[in-house]
Amino acid sequence: MDLTLITESVPKILSGIGITFQLMLLSAILGLILAVILLLMRLSGKWYLSWPAQIHIYIFRGTPILVQIFIIYYGLPQFEFVRDSIFWPILREPFGCAVVALTLNTGAYVCEILRGGVLGVDHGILEAGSALGLSAQQKFIYLTTPIAARIALPAYSNDFISLMKATSLASTITLMDMTGIARTIVAQTFAPYEIFISLAIIYMILTWVIQKTFGRIEKYLSHYVNP
Amino acid sequence: MTDTLIKMQNVDKFFGDFQALKNINLEVKRGERIVICGPSGSGKSTLIRCINRLEKHNNGHIFIAGKELTDQVKDIDAVRREVGMVFQSFNLFPHMTIVKNLMLAQRLVRKIKKPEAHKTAMHFLERVKIAEQADKYPVQLSGGQQQRVAIARALCMKPEIILFDEPTSALDPEMINEVLEVMTDLAKEGMTMICVTHEMGFARSVADRIIFMDEGEIVEEAVPEEFFDNPKNERTKQFLSQILTH
Ligand SMILES: Nc1ncnc2c1ncn2[C@@H]1O[C@H](COP(=O)(O)OP(=O)(O)OP(=O)(O)O)[C@@H](O)[C@H]1O
Ligand SMILES: [Mg+2]
């Protein structure tokens, strides 16, 4: 075990944390928006909205995320219409491809998590809303959303951690996130053991921070369960 | 005032092939107190849930204050503004404080400004003797207190009539009376109410009419004295002998 190698390489690896964070936060935000859209499509009760959402979820939960990244990065540019489209500036860059892949993937998972939350809302509460004259939209905004959010949060925080770890796959399409940098250092130093252990520890610390943060949010949202 | 508030004409309700309501005819006048009783599964809940459209009737007509209940969203909204409902399981909004529970529909449905909605909420909380709990969450209250809040929440909408679906059957025995008291007060003040309950003491002292249902039908309809002392139908007699010996 070469300690100086570790102390030298950790700062280098950390210089990629910005990319890791950008991938994580962008995909998490866009993925959450996508998940809500997919959820509304699924709950619409209209087959022409519900089916596309279910097909999307089926595809992105049914295939490895690494394969999805490869298809988007290597596969899509083969098509003339992709290169001519307004999305080309995004899909031309590995960063854009990684964000697109992670967003589509996490959106599918989070949609199912949110759906679990919505289905977990006590039916009687919604009936009370109806009886008081609230419209379907008002019930969704003021009753379903806040209650479902609390139910879904623990599962959502797990998905968020999965997403954080999945950002490391972006290194396979040349991105210099923390994993990408670590791989470069290994290629130069031939010391995979020290470098990858250091990298693993950094990811573990990140996971810990995310867990703590979500724990706080959960506690806040649950104030009415354990006041 | 003796004008008709609710009129059900030849109402049928099906769940798939199962007929839960069979040719229901019922008229409720303003200020009347109706108690509905009957064995489990006889259609009591279904009947009152048809009145505010939580269930959709399949045949017949239902009029609320002269307006027919149809598929029109506008009609349903109008009816729900006039008809309050109290459920067996309280159904308070768990994520809102008591006073916010009472303000939500006032603000969203009646479009009442916040200070006035708050004032109305506190007024009715005082009436059900629970104003000091205004800023607590539902889980912090006992069942009896929660049910009184639910009644106050319905009252905030200033409904013409309140429907009660077994409001005391989820309560511990020692809490039943505090809820019945509130309901008796309401009755005295002239509130129109339809109440599904097996509290026969309450029925005897408060009801203008008692309706007995069995297998989706109204089997007997009578004033309390007649209903208890001289029931006509065999099934009513059987039901009463069961419930009164318990
Ligand atoms: N949503 C539903 N789907 C199918 N069947 C239903 C539904 N709601 C009620 N039923 C059936 O309709 C019948 C009447 O139900 P209802 O709830 O009105 O009875 P109830 O008189 O209120 O009984 P309880 O005293 O148990 O509350 C029952 O046989 C019940 O199983
Ligand atoms: Mg019932």
Side-chain angles (χ1 to χ4, degrees), chain A residues 121-136 138-139 141-147 150 221 223-227, chain B residues 49 52 54-55 77 80-81 83-85 87 89-96 101 104-105 108-109 111 137-140 153-154 157:
Chain A
V121 176
D122 178 5
H123 194 63
I125 290 166
L126 300 176
E127 279 196 338
S130 303
L132 286 163
L134 268 58
S135 68
Q138 290 169 332
K139 282 186 290 178
I141 295 171
Y142 294 95
L143 303 178
T144 304
T145 300
I147 297 171
R150 187 187 69 78
L221 285 184
H223 62 104
Y224 60 85
V225 184
N226 305 300
Chain B
R49 290 162 59 85
N52 68 349
L54 288 181
E55 303 286 359
D77 286 348
R80 284 181 174 161
R81 277 199 293 271
V83 180
M85 184 153 187
F87 300 84
S89 48
F90 328 135
N91 295 342
L92 297 181
F93 307 136
H95 58 302
M96 296 180 186
N101 259 273
L104 183 74
L108 296 178
V109 180
K111 311 283 179 214
Y137 285 94
V139 282
Q140 294 171 285
R153 182 175 66 179
M157 299 300 283

Side-chain angles (χ1 to χ4, degrees), chain B residues 15 18 20 39-46 166:
Chain B
F15 292 110
F18 176 77
S40 181
S42 55
K44 307 178 297 290
S45 297
T46 307
E166 306 205 34

